[in-house]
Amino acid sequence: MLQFSNQFAFRPTGSTTAAIISLLNTVIDLLSTEPYVIVLSLDFAKAFDTVRQTTLLQKFAQLDLPDHIYNWLMDFFAGHSHCTVFRDQQSSLLDIMASIIQGSAIGPVAYVVTAGDLNAAAAGNSICKFADDTYRIIPASNEATRHAELANIQVWAERNNLRLNFNK
């Protein structure tokens, strides 16, 4: 199920400040009953460039959109291709099957929809998202679930043609 309440980017009521306040509030609330809290900070490498369009369009189909809007989105993401020119040589055109065209007006919204089904794997854990930056919040009492949370994120990333950036 798509959920947008934990995404703070590209929304009228969202901002970096709102994301930080939510993250800190969650951690502070947990620290009132827990000895410590684990916060996993995650980043997806080239997230806007690699999102699989077919998966994204399946998620748009889950939303209560009028048919003409969904059809417009289908048309928007279809028919893009790429070639490379080097020293007067041009490669053949290849269809672009991944990318949400970051500089476009629809790009940020498309990423929010993409991340709409990225949720915590275990009850009691929470998630805070700001664009492609994701924070998994795990109370001490759920420490044993941290590996399951990372595995859940990895499976979600693969399903969406994304890759965790372990260098950050």
Side-chain angles (χ1 to χ4, degrees):
M1 179 161 93
L2 299 177
Q3 181 182 19
F4 304 109
S5 61
N6 55 14
Q7 171 63 264
F8 292 91
F10 316 121
R11 299 181 60 191
T13 58
S15 67
T16 307
T17 303
I20 292 169
I21 289 169
S22 177
L23 179 64
L24 288 175
N25 188 53
T26 301
V27 169
I28 290 167
D29 283 350
L30 287 170
L31 287 173
S32 69
T33 59
E34 300 278 345
Y36 61 91
V37 175
I38 299 166
V39 178
L40 303 175
S41 177
L42 307 161
D43 179 71
F44 298 100
K46 299 184 182 272
F48 283 79
D49 297 333
T50 60
V51 168
R52 185 177 294 111
Q53 293 174 352
T54 55
T55 306
L56 170 62
L57 290 168
Q58 289 169 354
K59 292 177 186 188
F60 271 122
Q62 294 177 37
L63 300 175
D64 187 24
L65 296 174
D67 288 346
H68 68 279
I69 300 294
Y70 179 77
N71 292 336
W72 180 86
L73 289 165
M74 292 279 293
D75 287 344
F76 178 81
F77 287 106
H80 297 276
S81 57
H82 173 79
C83 72
T84 301
V85 176
F86 181 72
R87 293 189 180 162
D88 298 325
Q89 298 289 319
Q90 181 174 326
S91 68
S92 58
L93 287 172
L94 293 174
D95 289 336
I96 297 174
M97 306 306 286
S99 176
I100 53 176
I101 313 170
Q102 187 171 1
S104 69
I106 195 70
V109 172
Y111 189 80
V112 168
V113 171
T114 296
D117 62 349
L118 175 57
N119 297 305
N125 296 346
S126 52
I127 189 167
C128 179
K129 298 178 269 190
F130 188 82
D132 62 334
D133 296 314
T134 301
Y135 302 91
R136 210 38 81 95
I137 305 150
I138 304 169
S141 57
N142 273 6
E143 178 183 12
T145 67
R146 68 187 187 283
H147 296 293
E149 289 290 351
L150 285 171
N152 178 57
I153 292 167
Q154 187 63 43
V155 168
W156 177 88
E158 289 171 8
R159 202 172 46 239
N160 289 278
N161 201 41
L162 296 170
R163 186 174 38 87
L164 282 169
N165 186 353
F166 292 106
N167 294 326
K168 281 193 168 181

Short mmCIF file of all heavy atoms in Angstrom, two decimals, residues 21-76:
data_model
loop_
_atom_site.label_atom_id
_atom_site.label_comp_id
_atom_site.label_asym_id
_atom_site.label_seq_id
_atom_site.Cartn_x
_atom_site.Cartn_y
_atom_site.Cartn_z
N ILE A 21 12.34 17.73 12.19
CA ILE A 21 11.49 17.79 13.39
C ILE A 21 10.82 16.43 13.62
O ILE A 21 10.79 15.93 14.75
CB ILE A 21 10.45 18.92 13.28
CG1 ILE A 21 11.15 20.28 13.40
CG2 ILE A 21 9.35 18.77 14.33
CD1 ILE A 21 10.27 21.47 13.05
N SER A 22 10.31 15.83 12.56
CA SER A 22 9.66 14.52 12.70
C SER A 22 10.65 13.46 13.17
O SER A 22 10.35 12.67 14.08
CB SER A 22 9.04 14.10 11.37
OG SER A 22 8.48 12.82 11.46
N LEU A 23 11.82 13.44 12.56
CA LEU A 23 12.86 12.47 12.94
C LEU A 23 13.26 12.66 14.41
O LEU A 23 13.28 11.69 15.19
CB LEU A 23 14.07 12.62 12.02
CG LEU A 23 15.26 11.72 12.28
CD1 LEU A 23 14.90 10.26 12.06
CD2 LEU A 23 16.41 12.11 11.35
N LEU A 24 13.55 13.90 14.79
CA LEU A 24 13.95 14.17 16.18
C LEU A 24 12.83 13.87 17.16
O LEU A 24 13.07 13.31 18.24
CB LEU A 24 14.41 15.62 16.33
CG LEU A 24 15.76 15.96 15.70
CD1 LEU A 24 16.05 17.45 15.80
CD2 LEU A 24 16.87 15.15 16.36
N ASN A 25 11.61 14.22 16.81
CA ASN A 25 10.46 13.95 17.68
C ASN A 25 10.29 12.45 17.90
O ASN A 25 10.06 12.00 19.03
CB ASN A 25 9.19 14.57 17.09
CG ASN A 25 8.04 14.49 18.05
OD1 ASN A 25 8.14 14.92 19.19
ND2 ASN A 25 6.94 13.92 17.58
N THR A 26 10.42 11.67 16.84
CA THR A 26 10.29 10.21 16.95
C THR A 26 11.38 9.66 17.86
O THR A 26 11.12 8.85 18.75
CB THR A 26 10.37 9.55 15.56
OG1 THR A 26 9.31 10.08 14.75
CG2 THR A 26 10.23 8.05 15.65
N VAL A 27 12.62 10.10 17.65
CA VAL A 27 13.75 9.62 18.47
C VAL A 27 13.56 10.04 19.93
O VAL A 27 13.72 9.22 20.85
CB VAL A 27 15.10 10.13 17.91
CG1 VAL A 27 16.23 9.86 18.89
CG2 VAL A 27 15.38 9.49 16.56
N ILE A 28 13.19 11.28 20.17
CA ILE A 28 13.01 11.77 21.55
C ILE A 28 11.88 11.02 22.24
O ILE A 28 12.00 10.61 23.40
CB ILE A 28 12.78 13.30 21.56
CG1 ILE A 28 14.09 14.00 21.19
CG2 ILE A 28 12.27 13.77 22.91
CD1 ILE A 28 13.94 15.47 20.87
N ASP A 29 10.76 10.79 21.53
CA ASP A 29 9.66 10.03 22.12
C ASP A 29 10.11 8.62 22.49
O ASP A 29 9.78 8.11 23.56
CB ASP A 29 8.47 9.94 21.15
CG ASP A 29 7.66 11.22 21.09
OD1 ASP A 29 7.88 12.12 21.93
OD2 ASP A 29 6.80 11.31 20.18
N LEU A 30 10.86 7.98 21.60
CA LEU A 30 11.34 6.62 21.89
C LEU A 30 12.31 6.61 23.07
O LEU A 30 12.30 5.68 23.88
CB LEU A 30 12.00 6.02 20.65
CG LEU A 30 11.04 5.60 19.54
CD1 LEU A 30 11.82 5.24 18.27
CD2 LEU A 30 10.17 4.43 19.99
N LEU A 31 13.15 7.63 23.17
CA LEU A 31 14.13 7.68 24.26
C LEU A 31 13.48 7.87 25.63
O LEU A 31 14.13 7.62 26.66
CB LEU A 31 15.16 8.78 24.00
CG LEU A 31 16.18 8.46 22.91
CD1 LEU A 31 17.04 9.68 22.61
CD2 LEU A 31 17.04 7.25 23.27
N SER A 32 12.23 8.25 25.66
CA SER A 32 11.54 8.36 26.96
C SER A 32 11.23 6.99 27.54
O SER A 32 11.01 6.86 28.75
CB SER A 32 10.27 9.20 26.83
OG SER A 32 9.30 8.50 26.06
N THR A 33 11.22 5.94 26.69
CA THR A 33 10.94 4.59 27.18
C THR A 33 12.02 3.58 26.81
O THR A 33 11.96 2.43 27.25
CB THR A 33 9.59 4.09 26.60
OG1 THR A 33 9.66 4.09 25.18
CG2 THR A 33 8.44 4.97 27.07
N GLU A 34 12.97 3.98 25.99
CA GLU A 34 14.02 3.07 25.51
C GLU A 34 15.39 3.60 25.94
O GLU A 34 15.59 4.82 25.99
CB GLU A 34 13.99 2.99 23.97
CG GLU A 34 12.69 2.49 23.38
CD GLU A 34 12.58 0.98 23.38
OE1 GLU A 34 13.60 0.29 23.58
OE2 GLU A 34 11.46 0.48 23.19
N PRO A 35 16.35 2.69 26.20
CA PRO A 35 17.69 3.17 26.58
C PRO A 35 18.46 3.79 25.41
O PRO A 35 19.33 4.64 25.62
CB PRO A 35 18.40 1.90 27.09
CG PRO A 35 17.65 0.77 26.48
CD PRO A 35 16.24 1.24 26.28
N TYR A 36 18.16 3.37 24.20
CA TYR A 36 18.80 3.94 23.01
C TYR A 36 17.92 3.67 21.80
O TYR A 36 16.98 2.89 21.85
CB TYR A 36 20.21 3.38 22.78
CG TYR A 36 20.25 1.88 22.56
CD1 TYR A 36 20.17 1.34 21.27
CD2 TYR A 36 20.38 1.00 23.63
CE1 TYR A 36 20.20 -0.03 21.07
CE2 TYR A 36 20.42 -0.36 23.44
CZ TYR A 36 20.32 -0.87 22.16
OH TYR A 36 20.35 -2.23 21.96
N VAL A 37 18.24 4.37 20.72
CA VAL A 37 17.51 4.25 19.46
C VAL A 37 18.53 4.11 18.34
O VAL A 37 19.56 4.80 18.35
CB VAL A 37 16.60 5.48 19.21
CG1 VAL A 37 15.94 5.43 17.86
CG2 VAL A 37 15.57 5.62 20.32
N ILE A 38 18.26 3.24 17.41
CA ILE A 38 19.12 3.08 16.23
C ILE A 38 18.49 3.86 15.08
O ILE A 38 17.30 3.68 14.79
CB ILE A 38 19.24 1.59 15.83
CG1 ILE A 38 19.85 0.79 16.98
CG2 ILE A 38 20.03 1.43 14.54
CD1 ILE A 38 19.70 -0.71 16.82
N VAL A 39 19.28 4.72 14.45
CA VAL A 39 18.81 5.44 13.27
C VAL A 39 19.72 5.07 12.11
O VAL A 39 20.93 5.31 12.16
CB VAL A 39 18.82 6.98 13.49
CG1 VAL A 39 18.38 7.70 12.22
CG2 VAL A 39 17.94 7.37 14.66
N LEU A 40 19.14 4.43 11.12
CA LEU A 40 19.89 4.05 9.91
C LEU A 40 19.64 5.13 8.86
O LEU A 40 18.50 5.38 8.48
CB LEU A 40 19.41 2.69 9.39
CG LEU A 40 19.49 1.51 10.36
CD1 LEU A 40 18.87 0.28 9.73
CD2 LEU A 40 20.93 1.26 10.77
N SER A 41 20.69 5.76 8.41
CA SER A 41 20.60 6.78 7.37
C SER A 41 20.97 6.13 6.04
O SER A 41 22.07 5.59 5.89
CB SER A 41 21.56 7.93 7.68
OG SER A 41 21.53 8.89 6.65
N LEU A 42 20.04 6.16 5.09
CA LEU A 42 20.22 5.47 3.82
C LEU A 42 20.08 6.43 2.65
O LEU A 42 19.28 7.38 2.71
CB LEU A 42 19.19 4.35 3.69
CG LEU A 42 19.15 3.37 4.86
CD1 LEU A 42 17.84 2.62 4.88
CD2 LEU A 42 20.33 2.44 4.80
N ASP A 43 20.83 6.16 1.61
CA ASP A 43 20.76 6.96 0.39
C ASP A 43 20.75 6.00 -0.79
O ASP A 43 21.46 5.00 -0.79
CB ASP A 43 21.97 7.89 0.30
CG ASP A 43 21.95 8.73 -0.96
OD1 ASP A 43 21.10 9.64 -1.05
OD2 ASP A 43 22.76 8.47 -1.86
N PHE A 44 19.95 6.31 -1.78
CA PHE A 44 19.90 5.50 -2.99
C PHE A 44 20.73 6.18 -4.08
O PHE A 44 20.55 7.37 -4.35
CB PHE A 44 18.46 5.29 -3.46
CG PHE A 44 17.64 4.55 -2.45
CD1 PHE A 44 16.78 5.21 -1.60
CD2 PHE A 44 17.76 3.18 -2.32
CE1 PHE A 44 16.04 4.53 -0.65
CE2 PHE A 44 17.04 2.48 -1.37
CZ PHE A 44 16.18 3.16 -0.53
N ALA A 45 21.65 5.44 -4.67
CA ALA A 45 22.54 5.99 -5.70
C ALA A 45 21.75 6.31 -6.96
O ALA A 45 21.02 5.47 -7.47
CB ALA A 45 23.65 4.98 -6.01
N LYS A 46 21.90 7.54 -7.42
CA LYS A 46 21.27 7.99 -8.67
C LYS A 46 19.79 7.60 -8.75
O LYS A 46 19.31 7.10 -9.77
CB LYS A 46 22.02 7.45 -9.87
CG LYS A 46 23.46 7.91 -9.93
CD LYS A 46 24.14 7.44 -11.19
CE LYS A 46 25.58 7.86 -11.22
NZ LYS A 46 25.80 9.16 -11.79
N ALA A 47 19.09 7.82 -7.65
CA ALA A 47 17.70 7.36 -7.54
C ALA A 47 16.81 7.87 -8.67
O ALA A 47 16.05 7.09 -9.26
CB ALA A 47 17.12 7.77 -6.19
N PHE A 48 16.90 9.14 -9.00
CA PHE A 48 16.03 9.69 -10.02
C PHE A 48 16.35 9.13 -11.41
O PHE A 48 15.50 9.08 -12.27
CB PHE A 48 16.12 11.21 -10.05
CG PHE A 48 15.36 11.88 -8.94
CD1 PHE A 48 15.89 11.94 -7.66
CD2 PHE A 48 14.13 12.46 -9.18
CE1 PHE A 48 15.20 12.55 -6.64
CE2 PHE A 48 13.42 13.08 -8.16
CZ PHE A 48 13.96 13.13 -6.87
N ASP A 49 17.59 8.71 -11.59
CA ASP A 49 18.02 8.22 -12.90
C ASP A 49 17.71 6.75 -13.13
O ASP A 49 17.75 6.28 -14.27
CB ASP A 49 19.54 8.41 -13.07
CG ASP A 49 19.93 9.87 -13.04
OD1 ASP A 49 19.10 10.72 -13.38
OD2 ASP A 49 21.08 10.16 -12.65
N THR A 50 17.43 6.00 -12.08
CA THR A 50 17.33 4.56 -12.24
C THR A 50 15.97 3.95 -11.94
O THR A 50 15.78 2.75 -12.13
CB THR A 50 18.39 3.85 -11.37
OG1 THR A 50 18.18 4.19 -10.01
CG2 THR A 50 19.80 4.24 -11.79
N VAL A 51 15.02 4.74 -11.45
CA VAL A 51 13.69 4.20 -11.14
C VAL A 51 13.11 3.54 -12.39
O VAL A 51 13.07 4.14 -13.46
CB VAL A 51 12.75 5.31 -10.63
CG1 VAL A 51 11.31 4.84 -10.59
CG2 VAL A 51 13.20 5.78 -9.26
N ARG A 52 12.66 2.30 -12.22
CA ARG A 52 12.04 1.57 -13.34
C ARG A 52 10.66 2.15 -13.62
O ARG A 52 9.79 2.19 -12.75
CB ARG A 52 11.94 0.08 -13.00
CG ARG A 52 11.43 -0.76 -14.14
CD ARG A 52 11.40 -2.24 -13.81
NE ARG A 52 12.75 -2.77 -13.62
CZ ARG A 52 13.23 -3.18 -12.45
NH1 ARG A 52 12.49 -3.14 -11.37
NH2 ARG A 52 14.46 -3.65 -12.36
N GLN A 53 10.46 2.61 -14.83
CA GLN A 53 9.21 3.28 -15.18
C GLN A 53 7.99 2.36 -15.10
O GLN A 53 6.92 2.80 -14.70
CB GLN A 53 9.33 3.91 -16.57
CG GLN A 53 10.32 5.04 -16.60
CD GLN A 53 10.58 5.59 -17.99
OE1 GLN A 53 10.13 5.05 -18.97
NE2 GLN A 53 11.33 6.67 -18.05
N THR A 54 8.14 1.10 -15.46
CA THR A 54 6.98 0.19 -15.40
C THR A 54 6.50 0.03 -13.96
O THR A 54 5.30 0.02 -13.70
CB THR A 54 7.31 -1.19 -16.02
OG1 THR A 54 8.46 -1.72 -15.37
CG2 THR A 54 7.52 -1.10 -17.50
N THR A 55 7.44 -0.07 -13.02
CA THR A 55 7.08 -0.19 -11.61
C THR A 55 6.42 1.09 -11.13
O THR A 55 5.41 1.06 -10.42
CB THR A 55 8.33 -0.50 -10.77
OG1 THR A 55 8.98 -1.65 -11.31
CG2 THR A 55 7.98 -0.77 -9.32
N LEU A 56 6.96 2.22 -11.53
CA LEU A 56 6.37 3.51 -11.17
C LEU A 56 4.94 3.63 -11.69
O LEU A 56 4.03 4.03 -10.96
CB LEU A 56 7.23 4.65 -11.72
CG LEU A 56 6.62 6.06 -11.62
CD1 LEU A 56 6.39 6.46 -10.18
CD2 LEU A 56 7.51 7.06 -12.34
N LEU A 57 4.72 3.26 -12.94
CA LEU A 57 3.38 3.38 -13.51
C LEU A 57 2.40 2.43 -12.83
O LEU A 57 1.22 2.76 -12.68
CB LEU A 57 3.43 3.16 -15.02
CG LEU A 57 4.12 4.31 -15.76
CD1 LEU A 57 4.43 3.92 -17.21
CD2 LEU A 57 3.29 5.58 -15.70
N GLN A 58 2.87 1.28 -12.37
CA GLN A 58 1.99 0.38 -11.59
C GLN A 58 1.58 1.05 -10.29
O GLN A 58 0.45 0.89 -9.83
CB GLN A 58 2.71 -0.94 -11.31
CG GLN A 58 2.88 -1.82 -12.52
CD GLN A 58 3.82 -3.00 -12.26
OE1 GLN A 58 4.43 -3.11 -11.20
NE2 GLN A 58 3.95 -3.87 -13.25
N LYS A 59 2.47 1.82 -9.70
CA LYS A 59 2.14 2.52 -8.46
C LYS A 59 1.18 3.68 -8.73
O LYS A 59 0.25 3.92 -7.95
CB LYS A 59 3.41 3.02 -7.77
CG LYS A 59 4.25 1.86 -7.23
CD LYS A 59 5.53 2.34 -6.62
CE LYS A 59 6.38 1.14 -6.24
NZ LYS A 59 7.57 1.51 -5.48
N PHE A 60 1.39 4.39 -9.83
CA PHE A 60 0.43 5.45 -10.20
C PHE A 60 -0.95 4.85 -10.40
O PHE A 60 -1.96 5.47 -10.06
CB PHE A 60 0.87 6.17 -11.48
CG PHE A 60 1.77 7.36 -11.23
CD1 PHE A 60 3.03 7.42 -11.80
CD2 PHE A 60 1.35 8.43 -10.46
CE1 PHE A 60 3.85 8.51 -11.60
CE2 PHE A 60 2.16 9.53 -10.25
CZ PHE A 60 3.43 9.57 -10.82
N ALA A 61 -1.03 3.63 -10.92
CA ALA A 61 -2.32 2.97 -11.15
C ALA A 61 -3.05 2.68 -9.84
O ALA A 61 -4.28 2.56 -9.83
CB ALA A 61 -2.12 1.68 -11.95
N GLN A 62 -2.32 2.58 -8.73
CA GLN A 62 -2.94 2.34 -7.43
C GLN A 62 -3.60 3.60 -6.85
O GLN A 62 -4.41 3.51 -5.93
CB GLN A 62 -1.90 1.84 -6.42
CG GLN A 62 -1.32 0.50 -6.74
CD GLN A 62 -0.23 0.13 -5.73
OE1 GLN A 62 -0.34 0.43 -4.55
NE2 GLN A 62 0.82 -0.50 -6.23
N LEU A 63 -3.23 4.75 -7.39
CA LEU A 63 -3.77 6.00 -6.89
C LEU A 63 -5.14 6.26 -7.52
O LEU A 63 -5.45 5.78 -8.60
CB LEU A 63 -2.82 7.16 -7.21
CG LEU A 63 -1.42 7.05 -6.61
CD1 LEU A 63 -0.55 8.20 -7.11
CD2 LEU A 63 -1.48 7.04 -5.09
N ASP A 64 -5.92 7.05 -6.84
CA ASP A 64 -7.26 7.40 -7.33
C ASP A 64 -7.13 8.58 -8.30
O ASP A 64 -7.50 9.70 -7.98
CB ASP A 64 -8.16 7.74 -6.15
CG ASP A 64 -9.61 7.95 -6.58
OD1 ASP A 64 -10.00 7.42 -7.63
OD2 ASP A 64 -10.33 8.65 -5.84
N LEU A 65 -6.57 8.29 -9.48
CA LEU A 65 -6.37 9.32 -10.51
C LEU A 65 -7.42 9.17 -11.60
O LEU A 65 -7.78 8.05 -11.96
CB LEU A 65 -4.99 9.17 -11.16
CG LEU A 65 -3.76 9.36 -10.28
CD1 LEU A 65 -2.50 9.03 -11.06
CD2 LEU A 65 -3.71 10.79 -9.77
N PRO A 66 -7.88 10.27 -12.15
CA PRO A 66 -8.77 10.17 -13.31
C PRO A 66 -8.02 9.48 -14.47
O PRO A 66 -6.79 9.62 -14.59
CB PRO A 66 -9.08 11.63 -13.66
CG PRO A 66 -8.75 12.41 -12.44
CD PRO A 66 -7.68 11.65 -11.73
N ASP A 67 -8.74 8.76 -15.29
CA ASP A 67 -8.12 8.03 -16.40
C ASP A 67 -7.27 8.92 -17.29
O ASP A 67 -6.19 8.52 -17.72
CB ASP A 67 -9.19 7.33 -17.25
CG ASP A 67 -9.81 6.14 -16.54
OD1 ASP A 67 -9.24 5.70 -15.51
OD2 ASP A 67 -10.85 5.66 -17.00
N HIS A 68 -7.75 10.14 -17.57
CA HIS A 68 -7.00 10.99 -18.49
C HIS A 68 -5.65 11.42 -17.88
O HIS A 68 -4.68 11.61 -18.60
CB HIS A 68 -7.84 12.19 -18.95
CG HIS A 68 -8.14 13.20 -17.88
ND1 HIS A 68 -9.15 13.03 -16.96
CD2 HIS A 68 -7.56 14.39 -17.59
CE1 HIS A 68 -9.19 14.07 -16.15
NE2 HIS A 68 -8.23 14.90 -16.51
N ILE A 69 -5.58 11.55 -16.57
CA ILE A 69 -4.30 11.88 -15.91
C ILE A 69 -3.37 10.69 -15.98
O ILE A 69 -2.18 10.83 -16.32
CB ILE A 69 -4.51 12.32 -14.44
CG1 ILE A 69 -5.40 13.55 -14.36
CG2 ILE A 69 -3.17 12.53 -13.74
CD1 ILE A 69 -4.81 14.81 -14.95
N TYR A 70 -3.88 9.50 -15.67
CA TYR A 70 -3.04 8.30 -15.75
C TYR A 70 -2.54 8.09 -17.18
O TYR A 70 -1.36 7.80 -17.40
CB TYR A 70 -3.80 7.06 -15.26
CG TYR A 70 -2.96 5.82 -15.35
CD1 TYR A 70 -1.96 5.57 -14.41
CD2 TYR A 70 -3.12 4.91 -16.38
CE1 TYR A 70 -1.16 4.45 -14.49
CE2 TYR A 70 -2.32 3.79 -16.48
CZ TYR A 70 -1.34 3.56 -15.53
OH TYR A 70 -0.55 2.46 -15.63
N ASN A 71 -3.41 8.28 -18.16
CA ASN A 71 -3.00 8.13 -19.57
C ASN A 71 -1.95 9.16 -19.95
O ASN A 71 -1.02 8.87 -20.70
CB ASN A 71 -4.21 8.22 -20.49
CG ASN A 71 -5.14 7.03 -20.33
OD1 ASN A 71 -4.73 5.96 -19.88
ND2 ASN A 71 -6.41 7.22 -20.66
N TRP A 72 -2.09 10.37 -19.43
CA TRP A 72 -1.08 11.41 -19.70
C TRP A 72 0.27 10.97 -19.13
O TRP A 72 1.31 11.14 -19.77
CB TRP A 72 -1.52 12.74 -19.09
CG TRP A 72 -0.53 13.83 -19.33
CD1 TRP A 72 -0.44 14.65 -20.42
CD2 TRP A 72 0.57 14.20 -18.46
NE1 TRP A 72 0.63 15.51 -20.28
CE2 TRP A 72 1.26 15.25 -19.09
CE3 TRP A 72 1.01 13.75 -17.23
CZ2 TRP A 72 2.37 15.86 -18.52
CZ3 TRP A 72 2.13 14.35 -16.66
CH2 TRP A 72 2.79 15.39 -17.30
N LEU A 73 0.26 10.41 -17.90
CA LEU A 73 1.51 9.93 -17.30
C LEU A 73 2.12 8.82 -18.13
O LEU A 73 3.34 8.79 -18.34
CB LEU A 73 1.25 9.43 -15.87
CG LEU A 73 0.96 10.53 -14.84
CD1 LEU A 73 0.36 9.93 -13.57
CD2 LEU A 73 2.21 11.32 -14.54
N MET A 74 1.29 7.89 -18.62
CA MET A 74 1.79 6.81 -19.48
C MET A 74 2.47 7.41 -20.72
O MET A 74 3.57 6.99 -21.09
CB MET A 74 0.64 5.90 -19.92
CG MET A 74 0.02 5.08 -18.82
SD MET A 74 0.94 3.61 -18.43
CE MET A 74 0.72 2.66 -19.90
N ASP A 75 1.83 8.39 -21.34
CA ASP A 75 2.40 9.03 -22.52
C ASP A 75 3.68 9.79 -22.18
O ASP A 75 4.64 9.79 -22.95
CB ASP A 75 1.40 10.00 -23.16
CG ASP A 75 0.27 9.29 -23.88
OD1 ASP A 75 0.41 8.08 -24.16
OD2 ASP A 75 -0.75 9.94 -24.15
N PHE A 76 3.69 10.45 -21.02
CA PHE A 76 4.84 11.24 -20.62
C PHE A 76 6.09 10.37 -20.49
O PHE A 76 7.18 10.76 -20.90
CB PHE A 76 4.57 11.94 -19.28
CG PHE A 76 5.73 12.75 -18.77
CD1 PHE A 76 5.97 14.02 -19.26
CD2 PHE A 76 6.59 12.23 -17.81
CE1 PHE A 76 7.06 14.77 -18.81
CE2 PHE A 76 7.67 12.96 -17.35
CZ PHE A 76 7.90 14.24 -17.85
#
